[in-house]
Amino acid sequence: MEARIDSVGANAERARSHNRQVVLERIRTAGKIGRAEIARISGLSTQAVSNIIADLQSEGLIADLGRRSGVRGLPAVQYGLDPQGGFAIGIEIRPDAVLAAVLDLCGTSIASTRAVLQGHSLSAVTDAVQRISREVIDQAGVPDTRVLGAGVVMPGPFEPTGLGGAPSDLAIWQDVAPADWFSDALGFPVIVENDANAGAVAELVAGVAKGRRSYAFLYFGTGLGLGMVQNGRLVTGAYGNAGEIGHIPVPTATGPKALETVVSRLSLQRDLVAAGVTADSSDALARAYAGREPAMMAWLDRAVEPLSAAVTIVENMLDPETIILGGAMPDAVLDHLIGSVVLAERSVSTRARRSGPRLMRGASGRMTATLGAAALVINRTFTPQIAAVS
């Protein structure tokens, strides 16, 4: 039988930090749960669970939610996350702006802000990130001692590759390790990811992917990215550049083209601007769709074939439970795309026992990747880093 990776704890042979994350993950997944049930599901001893719960309570990460009602005997105490037990900062670096947000431990956004990026030099970007992170922490009223870390997202690929030269590239990071750089600049542990991966994790923490273990997330940023989650963990590749689906050639009416040249926010904006239609914001795109602007409808028609091909590729390569579309596009446009995609019969996702949709709409809006950046930190807090094999 093939090895299966799961969030199962162990006693002597596993590190305490791993077991602690197993317990935290079980509490998050359940909403509220008792010690005996955690022990049964995780494989840890009841005593080990009791010790970990005592530590988590003393740190303020979980709270006693009272005893379970409606059962015989002495009801078990139920435990759940304390939203105020920890906070995560999310920072998104775009070519023209820096956005920041703070999430509580349950993934609820409690503060957000945005600043124009005045330059693309290393010092200009670093100064902007330092300023905006301080501003959003103060806005949220969060003590630094409760900050679990910061997630920083920006368009990939990271390091020099054959995909360089895209409009969204920030070449200053090609000779700098951004996670170490920002950790020193901010004074917090930092995770750096691309925007598609951040969006995928946001769906896991507080979106439509809650309760799912394996799915794909097509992210509409400036270009088009793919976040892949397998067994609850991101698939990032050897160098952090997995998921650059926007560069895959797909069929169009005029021959093969890179996917994001015909299916992305940037390609849509170019078509609208060429037709004299305002396209400088999500609100403007929503108005263009609501008014059935000819350039908008023509773009949607042209997007069907290449997006359908991309969906088939993702399904047959990854065998996901579902593919989620989200990012910097209006909900109505995403819904139109989902309704227009031709789902292939020759796909591993064509199954008689399917229990959910093959395509779903996830979170959208200008803060999607920013919130996803903070969700990376929340997810790391709960996700066991040592894989148990059964």
Side-chain angles (χ1 to χ4, degrees):
M1 181 177 177
E2 187 180 30
R4 177 177 58 84
I5 298 175
D6 203 353
S7 299
V8 176
N11 294 302
E13 73 273 18
R14 296 293 184 190
R16 184 174 179 81
S17 61
H18 167 73
N19 290 342
R20 165 193 172 95
Q21 287 175 305
V22 168
V23 172
L24 267 174
E25 184 186 40
R26 293 304 180 188
I27 293 172
R28 174 177 68 163
T29 301
K32 60 181 180 179
I33 191 171
R35 302 180 203 193
E37 191 173 359
I38 295 172
R40 178 179 59 79
I41 296 171
S42 66
L44 293 166
S45 69
T46 303
Q47 185 59 55
V49 170
S50 296
N51 293 339
I52 292 170
I53 282 178
D55 289 344
L56 295 175
Q57 279 188 290
S58 69
E59 294 170 27
L61 294 174
I62 65 172
D64 181 334
L65 301 182
R67 294 186 180 273
R68 192 169 161 189
S69 60
V71 295
R72 292 181 179 179
L74 182 63
V77 174
Q78 302 291 288
Y79 298 95
L81 297 180
D82 184 341
Q84 303 298 305
F87 301 88
I89 307 167
I91 298 168
E92 180 186 0
I93 303 172
R94 296 180 182 176
D96 61 345
V98 179
L99 292 79
V102 175
L103 299 185
D104 67 19
L105 197 61
C106 293
T108 301
S109 176
I110 58 174
S112 63
T113 189
R114 181 183 190 275
V116 174
L117 189 58
Q118 300 292 347
H120 291 163
S121 68
L122 188 59
S123 60
V125 173
T126 303
D127 288 347
V129 168
Q130 288 175 318
R131 285 196 309 273
I132 203 170
S133 63
R134 188 71 263 161
E135 180 182 332
V136 80
I137 291 172
D138 292 344
Q139 180 183 333
V142 172
D144 287 5
T145 54
R146 282 293 182 189
V147 175
L148 300 170
V152 176
V153 301
M154 49 193 172
F158 301 134
E159 300 185 0
T161 73
L163 300 181
S168 58
D169 280 357
L170 287 173
I172 55 173
W173 305 113
Q174 294 188 349
D175 296 315
V176 176
D180 294 338
W181 181 271
F182 282 124
S183 183
D184 290 341
L186 298 177
F188 301 118
V190 169
I191 304 171
V192 173
E193 272 295 353
N194 63 49
D195 41 17
N197 283 347
V201 172
E203 294 296 341
L204 182 64
V205 170
V208 298
K210 288 186 74 172
R212 299 181 186 274
R213 300 292 293 168
S214 298
Y215 60 93
F217 182 77
L218 276 172
Y219 177 78
F220 287 82
T222 301
L224 188 71
L226 177 67
M228 301 171 287
V229 174
Q230 289 287 323
N231 202 30
R233 291 171 173 82
L234 276 174
V235 177
T236 58
Y239 304 101
N241 292 320
E244 289 293 333
I245 195 171
H247 300 275
I248 292 178
V250 290
T252 73
T254 57
K257 292 183 180 179
L259 178 62
E260 68 179 25
T261 65
V262 288
V263 184
S264 66
R265 181 184 172 105
L266 182 61
S267 69
L268 172 57
Q269 288 174 318
R270 283 173 174 167
D271 282 11
L272 291 176
V273 169
V277 179
T278 301
D280 57 357
S281 67
S282 291
D283 287 343
L285 297 181
R287 287 193 297 271
Y289 181 79
R292 297 300 190 267
E293 288 284 353
M296 166 68 81
M297 306 316 292
W299 180 86
L300 287 167
D301 288 343
R302 288 194 300 273
V304 172
E305 183 180 13
L307 183 58
S308 299
V311 165
T312 302
I313 290 170
V314 172
E315 287 184 337
N316 286 326
M317 289 291 290
L318 300 177
D319 189 22
E321 293 176 56
T322 189
I323 298 175
I324 302 166
L325 275 65
M329 278 285 200
D331 287 351
V333 174
L334 293 174
D335 287 339
H336 186 109
L337 290 170
I338 290 171
S340 301
V341 165
V342 179
L343 295 172
E345 285 296 317
R346 293 188 61 79
S347 167
V348 296
S349 292
T350 303
R351 296 191 303 274
R353 296 175 61 185
R354 168 168 287 281
S355 59
R358 287 164 69 172
L359 294 177
M360 301 177 69
R361 171 166 56 80
S364 62
R366 68 186 183 98
M367 298 294 290
T368 303
T370 315
L371 297 173
L376 291 166
V377 177
I378 300 292
N379 193 58
R380 179 180 63 181
T381 302
F382 294 108
T383 303
Q385 301 301 306
I386 304 173
V389 178
S390 61

